[in-house]
Amino acid sequence: MATKEKLFDMFSPTSTHDWIEKITVDLKGADFEKKLVWRTNEGFNVKPFYRREDLKDIPHMGTLPGQFPYVRGTREDNNWLIRQQILGETAEELNKEALLAINRGVDSIGVKVANDVDEKYFEILFKDIDLKKIEVNISSCMGHAVGVAKVLVDYLKSKGIENDFKGSIDFNPFKRLLKHGMDFPRDIKEEAVAMYNTVKDVKNLRCFAVDSVMLNNAGAYITQELGYALAWGAEWMTLLTDAGLTPCEVASRIKFNMGISSNYFLEIAKFRAARMLWAEVVKAYGAEDDCCKMVAHAVTSVFNMTIYDAHVNLLRSMTETMSAAIAGVDSIETLPFDLPYKKPDEFSERIAKNQQLLLRDESHLNKVTDPAGGSYYVEVLTKSIAEIAWKLFVEVEEKGGFLAELKKGDIQKAVNESGVKRHSDVARRKEILLGTNQYPNFNETALDKIQKPLGPCGCGCSVEPQDGAVDYLNFDRAASQFEQLRLDTERSGKRPKVFMLTIGNLAMRLARAQFSANLFGCAGYEIIDNIGFNTVKEGVNAAVEKGADVVVLCSSDDEYAEYAPEAFKELNGRAMFVVAGAPACMDELKAQGIEEFIHVRVNVLDTLIKFNAKLLK
């Protein structure tokens, strides 16, 4: 009987050490760790390659989708729901917009309802909507959730569909501390128990919200969002089991609303780690395995959306949506690309919904459960994110829990510090926002497309600041400072002209002209580029003829010692003079009165603020 020959038996195995030796040779002596191993903002290192041996200490390997601890998913399929937030002032308007969205492929809707709803309101709102098929997620202004829930439950019972309904009520008493630094005005435990008793007869109505999407939109890093989300969920578990509810009764009513950043692979890993860690948290309260399943709704990030070159938001939200879909979340809301500057219109809402339809119905991502499972890279990322997030979760628990930390303002402060760091990274181009701090559309204007923003909570309610308020979250988008800078240029009625005086070494002058154009373009300046000049005098004369406000000398480091003093003297104060680069002769040039140098290490934002102050006077 013939034996089957294994294909690779003739090749000797290659160890990790062998691979690193080969890579080191290709690096020509450069340090492997310093050159190719990078440190994430989430607090762990990522290697350039992984092998099967990296999975040996991961305990969930070998589990299947639907099996505890649910890292590979809480179900055997990947049919997520496509959600759209429905906008409207009245029940009639909401119904009209909801039906339009449903007819175009949406199977989960979010609505923000009035505070004084009655059954007639829901009768109008849900007219012609099949509540057995469409998930409904309801929010209201803070403090009104229990009242809204009571009316909803009465309506469902009157229609005899309480056992078929699926959705959520956004009961979120922690939101005031996060958004305004002020505590909820009533007893949270008492209000939470009242909420549970109100909805308990509707099996699939979740009401205890973990809105970590708020942390994401304030600039939190991935491990921060996850660690605090776990602590938030554990606060609900402790609060309500102490009130006499069973762990399963509480866990079955908790819904996680999480953000999605543009860090593609890390976001896939985040949701996988989230399911695993949440299962362990709920299990620790004594719940059965089936009660340990996380229900996760994912929302694309607002933090990285931009006003300028806004269609790039479509690229960001597409990769974000894909991360969540591959990770196996329960529902996804892809935000319209024009959300930062106006009320989304029919076109932007349709495109946002179609992004998910492309992934689900044309790319068939719903046909494969946990496609990232077994990937050496993603599995290690899942483990790494889980370890850092769990450490943060334990720290919060040891300090008294999520609510105690909110009341001290420590969570808000930590997230805001991350937001400040990310804004600094954007200012220095360590974090890129295409079209905003890199490769801007030079001729774009935005003042005329910005509409009046919504009120403080988007529904007309307001919260007056009080004495004793703690820190609260800062929701400034990553692009906000660059956008303010560019809007200042637009409002001034002036548009400074930046002239590229390109001379000398061809490769260097072209590269530095492109760098300089991209930098000054971020402030909305007019860029005047050039092929090159034979002499400095020729270049200066051309700049003066064009009415340049700024002249940027673009050449090589070796040539700056000759060209820069000559150009500075020839220009003679008729425009601001800038050298593109950080040449070795910089100190000598500064001694001759040349003050402005732009290069890859400068803070782009601070540099442009300084130019605006001088040019827009």
Side-chain angles (χ1 to χ4, degrees), residues 284-304:
Y285 282 86
E288 299 173 359
D289 285 2
D290 282 348
C291 300
C292 300
K293 296 179 179 180
M294 170 186 277
V295 172
H297 170 62
V299 187
T300 56
S301 178
V302 174
F303 184 76
N304 60 19

Side-chain angles (χ1 to χ4, degrees), residues 290-331:
D290 282 348
C291 300
C292 300
K293 296 179 179 180
M294 170 186 277
V295 172
H297 170 62
V299 187
T300 56
S301 178
V302 174
F303 184 76
N304 60 19
M305 295 183 84
T306 62
I307 293 174
Y308 288 94
D309 219 345
H311 287 93
V312 180
N313 292 332
L314 291 168
L315 303 180
R316 299 183 184 106
S317 62
M318 194 66 173
T319 61
E320 291 164 3
T321 302
M322 191 171 178
S323 293
I326 288 174
V329 300
D330 297 276
S331 59

Side-chain angles (χ1 to χ4, degrees), residues 19-122:
W19 274 111
I20 293 177
E21 277 196 340
K22 172 58 179 170
I23 292 169
T24 302
V25 170
D26 290 343
L27 290 174
K28 298 179 180 178
D31 186 275
F32 172 83
E33 293 286 335
K34 292 182 179 179
K35 194 75 173 178
L36 296 180
V37 177
W38 59 282
R39 183 77 172 175
T40 68
N41 289 320
E42 280 66 29
F44 57 87
N45 292 335
V46 174
K47 298 188 295 186
F49 72 97
Y50 292 93
R51 310 185 74 220
R52 183 181 300 173
E53 64 199 54
D54 292 301
L55 307 186
K56 63 182 180 181
D57 295 326
I58 299 179
H60 70 259
M61 297 305 300
T63 63
L64 297 175
Q67 289 183 352
F68 187 92
Y70 308 113
V71 64
R72 303 202 61 201
T74 58
R75 56 196 189 277
E76 295 180 359
D77 61 61
N78 192 28
N79 285 311
W80 75 89
L81 299 177
I82 298 175
R83 187 193 294 186
Q84 180 176 318
Q85 186 67 26
I86 307 302
L87 303 177
E89 297 296 324
T90 66
E92 288 86 356
E93 290 178 6
L94 290 170
N95 174 260
K96 179 183 176 181
E97 295 300 319
L99 287 173
L100 180 64
I102 291 167
N103 289 333
R104 290 179 171 177
V106 166
D107 39 32
S108 173
I109 60 173
V111 291
K112 181 167 285 184
V113 302
N115 301 331
D116 55 349
V117 296
D118 53 21
E119 286 193 47
K120 183 179 178 181
Y121 182 96
F122 283 124

